[in-house]
Amino acid sequence: MNDLSSLQPTAVWRHFFNLCQIPRASGQEAAVRDALSKWACERSLCVKNDARGNLILGKAATPGYENRPGVVLQGHLDMVCQKHGNSKHDFGRDPIRPVLRDGWVTAIDTTLGADNGIGVALALAVLEADDLEHPALEVLLTVDEEAGMHGAMGLEQNAVQGRLLLNLDTEQWGELYLGCAGSVDVVVDAPVPVEAAPEDMLTIGLRLTGLAGGHSGIDIHRQRGNAIKLLAQFLRELDEKGFVFRLASMKGGTAHNAIPREAEAVLRMVDPSSLLAEAEGFVAALRGRLNDEESRVRIDFEMVSTLDAGDVLPGEEARKLLNLLGDLPCGVRKMSEQMPGVVETSNNIGELRLGKGRLHVNVMVRSLGEDGIHALSDEIVARFVASGFEGIHVTGAGPVWHPNPESKLLALARDVFRRTFDDEAVVQVIHAGLECGIFNWLWPDMDMISFGPTIHGAHAPGERVEAASVECAWRLLVAILAAIPEQESKRSQA
């Protein structure tokens, strides 16, 4: 475990390190699911794999807790796989390499997978411990959360028996979450016209890099640059200044829920001699309006083999697409009036692929209310339709988790937090998707909250988790389990 062995709680960090050794991209969780199933069987825990691939582990109540309502501890097995452009890391084969730096655990050149590996590790450590007091436990570990919550959406009505749920997938210690944004994806998969490029044109590759990226929900308010949008704006400026070029291909982003850090394009041009000066001016202006963390933004060029360029978009078609991308909403649309400082509605242009006569774009829309989701997604669809694009559909609906301020579990957690840390927890909603929205729809009588340690930079290289906050989250978790009250008798309920 290298220097992670010095961290507390030891069991949590051991489980997290072991998770880091097993590749677990969305849709590729079989290996980690099998490893955890074997681990649980060796400890005589209940093991259940459902048809969708979710894993449910069970443990009986400790003596004296048999009459207390069962608790579900919940997290997801998959992680967002992002790496620096020059990294040779293979997420399908190579382990994540966690390191401890100044009180934070991070990874070398890649995402860490603390989202949601730390939550999973917390739950596994509870199952492993024989010195804790707790009701009957079910640990629900879903698959494919980051790609669209497909595991949670495939759960059966009777998948779990507990009716108290602790989601361990939020990322700011000291906050108890009672609601989350819902989301949809506006997906464009359309044909585009192409033509042969003039033979006298040179082929130039452009690459925009150096942006911070991040989680398209919890980081969207930080106003970080979106590489797809910025590169489209640069190309549009070239066109407006009279540069003659043809757009052969363009791509950027690798996940619908991550702010793109890099984007690239291939152009055919007669005279690229002034490109460098134009790029330097554009980048200088960017640095003046982006955050300091994105001061390394740059645009690089290289000569590309003509054979790599292929056909190009006709000039008017390229202009139409660049204008659309440049003007498309991206970022915060509205802040919440009920929850100060919380984003209510936003969107992110997460993925773009243009080439060989096809255009693919994925725009993720999030909101704390269904009306906000529909209004913004409808606007985005309308913009693509008005520009003449076909093959547009709205998919991947993640339900809003509407807050229940009367939650008894919330009241208990706040009291436990106060007694354990001599401080008040902050009650919050999160502008990100949690599977609690699906659980609330599937099990409307389930009482649930979410909490976790502090994680910065999720969904981007440089993701890190604060070690001290992991220990705090562990203390809160075991204290809540020990404080679950006995169930009310049917007579008292009447």
Side-chain angles (χ1 to χ4, degrees):
M1 288 179 59
N2 301 323
D3 47 3
L4 300 195
S5 61
S6 64
L7 300 177
Q8 296 294 327
T10 302
V12 174
W13 289 107
R14 172 168 39 80
H15 283 295
F16 179 68
F17 180 83
N18 290 339
L19 288 171
C20 288
Q21 308 312 299
I22 308 173
R24 49 193 177 94
S26 299
Q28 301 174 34
E29 303 95 342
V32 68
R33 184 177 59 244
D34 291 347
L36 294 184
S37 297
K38 179 181 178 182
W39 172 87
C41 287
E42 290 172 349
R43 286 156 180 79
S44 300
L45 299 171
C46 177
V47 178
K48 175 183 175 182
N49 289 280
D50 70 8
R52 190 59 66 94
N54 302 303
L55 176 62
I56 304 171
L57 308 177
K59 184 178 182 180
T62 53
Y65 278 72
E66 297 88 349
N67 193 38
R68 307 189 187 211
V71 177
V72 180
L73 305 182
Q74 194 273 320
H76 60 86
L77 291 173
D78 59 323
M79 62 174 284
V80 170
C81 298
Q82 294 274 300
K83 62 182 180 180
H84 289 301
N86 59 356
S87 171
K88 297 181 180 180
H89 184 92
D90 183 345
F91 283 104
R93 180 194 65 201
D94 300 333
I96 301 295
R97 295 180 289 168
V99 295
L100 178 63
R101 293 175 178 167
D102 300 323
W104 295 76
V105 176
T106 187
I108 300 174
D109 292 336
T110 68
T111 39
L112 174 64
D115 174 15
N116 182 227
I118 282 291
V120 174
L122 286 164
L124 296 177
V126 170
L127 290 180
E128 181 182 53
D130 57 9
D131 59 348
L132 301 179
E133 297 177 323
H134 56 76
L137 295 177
E138 294 164 285
V139 172
L140 171 58
L141 303 177
T142 55
V143 296
D144 215 19
E145 190 270 353
E146 299 290 7
M149 301 189 184
H150 301 123
M153 288 182 177
L155 286 166
E156 299 290 338
Q157 192 81 31
N158 62 350
V160 295
Q161 303 306 308
R163 282 301 177 264
L164 300 178
L165 185 142
L166 300 176
N167 171 275
L168 305 173
D169 190 22
T170 44
E171 301 170 3
Q172 185 59 55
W173 167 246
E175 297 182 348
L176 302 175
Y177 287 86
L178 199 62
C180 75
S183 66
V184 297
D185 289 302
V186 179
V187 180
V188 181
D189 192 2
V192 292
V194 293
E195 62 184 17
E199 295 182 359
D200 60 342
M201 285 186 164
L202 300 173
T203 308
I204 309 296
L206 294 77
R207 192 158 182 255
L208 188 151
T209 61
L211 297 174
H215 191 296
S216 68
I218 59 178
D219 291 322
I220 200 71
H221 66 288
R222 301 184 189 279
Q223 300 181 331
R224 291 172 176 168
N226 182 301
I228 294 171
K229 192 171 182 69
L230 294 180
L231 184 56
Q233 290 173 347
F234 173 64
L235 296 177
R236 183 170 69 173
E237 284 191 13
L238 291 181
D239 181 62
E240 291 171 347
K241 291 181 178 181
F243 281 77
V244 178
F245 66 88
R246 294 291 183 267
L247 180 60
S249 66
M250 184 175 174
K251 67 178 181 179
T254 58
H256 70 147
N257 54 2
I259 302 170
R261 297 172 292 108
E262 300 178 355
E264 59 187 66
V266 175
L267 308 181
R268 299 294 299 274
M269 300 185 69
V270 173
D271 181 13
S273 59
S274 301
L275 266 183
L276 181 58
E278 290 297 327
E280 288 177 345
F282 183 81
V283 168
L286 278 185
R287 289 173 178 161
R289 72 173 195 258
L290 294 176
N291 299 325
D292 291 343
E293 61 186 341
E294 300 189 294
S295 61
R296 293 181 293 178
V297 61
R298 57 186 293 167
I299 298 178
D300 295 311
F301 303 92
E302 63 177 346
M303 298 297 294
V304 179
S305 167
T306 302
L307 296 177
D308 295 334
D311 293 331
V312 297
L313 267 69
E316 281 303 316
E317 293 297 325
R319 185 172 297 113
K320 179 175 66 176
L321 175 60
L322 294 176
N323 285 337
L324 173 61
L325 294 174
D327 295 335
L328 200 66
C330 187
V332 176
R333 167 55 64 94
K334 181 182 179 183
M335 299 297 292
S336 172
E337 296 178 2
Q338 288 73 34
M339 304 292 291
V342 176
V343 177
E344 179 165 315
T345 305
S346 74
N347 77 290
N348 174 60
I349 308 172
E351 298 175 274
L352 180 142
R353 299 289 182 273
L354 171 68
K356 298 182 180 180
R358 301 294 302 183
L359 172 68
H360 173 83
V361 184
N362 191 319
V363 183
M364 190 175 194
V365 176
R366 302 180 189 266
S367 183
L368 299 177
E370 287 84 357
D371 290 347
I373 294 173
H374 297 321
L376 185 50
S377 60
D378 287 350
E379 176 185 337
I380 293 169
V381 169
R383 286 177 180 256
F384 277 99
V385 171
S387 295
F389 291 99
E390 303 174 352
I392 308 164
H393 57 282
V394 179
T395 186
V400 176
W401 175 23
H402 293 284
N404 172 22
E406 303 303 317
S407 164
K408 293 182 179 180
L409 183 57
L410 174 66
L412 174 68
R414 294 183 71 181
D415 181 63
V416 170
F417 191 99
R418 187 182 303 115
R419 289 187 281 108
T420 304
F421 301 101
D422 193 25
D423 198 3
E424 294 290 336
V426 176
V427 179
Q428 191 60 280
V429 298
I430 188 170
H431 188 71
L434 294 176
E435 290 162 304
C436 294
I438 297 171
F439 304 149
N440 191 46
W441 166 78
L442 186 62
W443 304 306
D445 62 336
M446 182 176 281
D447 198 356
M448 64 187 81
I449 61 171
S450 179
F451 65 90
T454 298
I455 299 173
H456 288 174
H459 298 189
E463 175 191 1
R464 58 196 177 118
V465 57
E466 186 182 34
S469 70
V470 173
E471 184 173 5
C472 290
W474 169 257
R475 291 174 60 195
L476 179 61
L477 174 59
V478 299
I480 290 176
L481 293 176
I484 300 293
E486 291 192 2
Q487 300 186 74
E488 297 179 10
S489 67
K490 292 183 178 181
R491 178 177 297 178
S492 64
Q493 289 176 0

